[in-house]
Amino acid sequence: MSWRCASPSKNEDASHAAHAPARRATRLLRFAAPQAFYPLAGRLVPWCAALAVVLGACALAIGFFVAPTDATQGEVYRIIFIHVAAAWMSLFIYLLMAFWSALGLILRTRLSFIMARALAPTGALFCFVALWSGALWGRPTWGAYWVWDARLTSQLLLGFLYLGYLALTALTVDPHRGDRAGALVALVGAINVPVIYFSVSWWSTLHQGASVSLTRAPSMATTMLAAMLLMALAAWAYTAAVALARARVLVLEREWPAGWVRDLARREAATCKEPA
């Protein structure tokens, strides 16, 4: 007697296909648990850091040695290869903080608040770099390091929002209360991000318009655009590396009473004691 395996019916195939996205989402959601996130972040950090170094080096080489001299501003324009990426990232990171904060308030996930806290120092750094590099560019261009321009003033306000978030979360004794208070600052302050972006369109400002737009062709040389975009990608990779590394530290601080953290500490201690 011969046996033949029954082939799956079309309904079963359709059912498997329909549930495939749900299964993939479930596999991804498991990384929301600190115990699963910690090793994943550890594997991603060196790759993101290496990518940031390579992209940043390429961007600086193209921007400072390959890109042509600007016909109007001369050599001073080259600071935009640092300024633009820093300004973009200061806005993007704040929106990410608001996203993670909202997720934490709605779903009450521990990792969401941790990610918001991990991103904040890097966002503040990029905001400072954007203001500092803009001042260096403004002195030869406008004749002053600072003017109370709409773009500059709203960007300065963003810097104060970053500092307020960092101070509030650091000084609150109860970390959970600090998470909620910082989340409110992040969500309310997110209103300032579109104000910064559209300030040159809404008001008459000294600051030039957007260097890159999705609705029109770039008004700069290809090498200039390449250097600017490479530096932006380098800033993204740097942000990912630093934020993930900082999040790992915060996870250990928050999850120390958990058994998996103590097991991890014992394994690492045993590894350190092993003879070379």
Side-chain angles (χ1 to χ4, degrees):
M1 180 182 294
S2 61
W3 294 88
R4 185 173 60 184
C5 295
S7 59
S9 65
K10 292 183 178 180
N11 290 336
E12 290 176 344
D13 291 340
S15 177
H16 284 300
H19 288 86
R23 288 194 296 269
R24 286 194 293 268
T26 302
R27 286 196 293 268
L28 290 175
L29 284 176
R30 69 186 180 89
F31 292 110
Q35 185 175 359
F37 168 82
Y38 184 84
L40 174 65
R43 291 192 294 269
L44 291 176
V45 166
W47 289 100
C48 292
L51 185 62
V53 171
V54 172
L55 291 174
C58 292
L60 291 176
I62 296 173
F64 285 91
F65 300 107
V66 179
T69 302
D70 186 76
T72 304
Q73 302 180 40
E75 298 293 345
V76 72
Y77 92 95
R78 297 185 191 276
I79 202 168
I80 69 169
F81 299 124
I82 296 174
H83 172 75
V84 172
W88 284 351
M89 289 307 300
S90 68
L91 303 182
F92 178 70
I93 291 175
Y94 201 91
L95 290 179
L96 276 182
M97 287 170 52
F99 167 77
W100 285 116
S101 297
L103 209 61
L105 290 175
I106 296 171
L107 301 180
R108 299 185 182 277
T109 52
R110 293 169 293 173
L111 190 60
S112 298
F113 291 121
I114 288 175
M115 287 304 302
R117 287 199 183 213
L119 286 163
T122 307
L125 172 64
F126 277 122
C127 188
F128 169 77
V129 171
L131 291 169
W132 169 74
S133 57
L136 292 182
W137 176 83
R139 181 66 179 87
T141 306
W142 298 338
Y145 288 109
W146 181 266
V147 293
W148 291 102
D149 179 89
R151 170 64 64 85
L152 274 67
T153 304
S154 53
Q155 183 73 25
L156 179 63
L157 177 59
L158 182 67
F160 285 126
L161 287 169
Y162 272 119
L163 294 179
Y165 177 92
L166 290 170
L168 189 60
T169 53
L171 296 177
T172 306
V173 177
D174 183 0
H176 301 293
R177 292 184 61 186
D179 288 340
R180 293 191 293 271
L184 293 178
V185 173
L187 290 172
V188 173
I191 301 173
N192 188 47
V193 173
V195 173
I196 296 173
Y197 184 80
F198 292 107
S199 59
V200 294
S201 302
W202 291 347
W203 296 286
S204 177
T205 67
L206 290 175
H207 198 284
Q208 68 185 55
S211 303
V212 179
S213 174
L214 297 176
T215 58
R216 65 177 186 271
S219 58
M220 60 178 64
T222 304
T223 50
M224 295 180 183
L225 180 62
M228 187 181 299
L229 295 180
L230 283 174
M231 184 58 74
L233 291 174
W236 279 47
Y238 169 81
T239 300
V242 175
L244 288 174
R246 193 177 292 118
R248 279 165 55 88
V249 175
L250 292 172
V251 164
L252 293 181
E253 291 178 354
R254 296 285 185 94
E255 299 293 315
W256 175 248
W260 72 269
V261 178
R262 296 183 180 181
D263 292 340
L264 177 66
R266 282 194 292 267
R267 288 196 300 269
E268 292 185 353
T271 303
C272 293
K273 291 180 181 179
E274 291 180 358

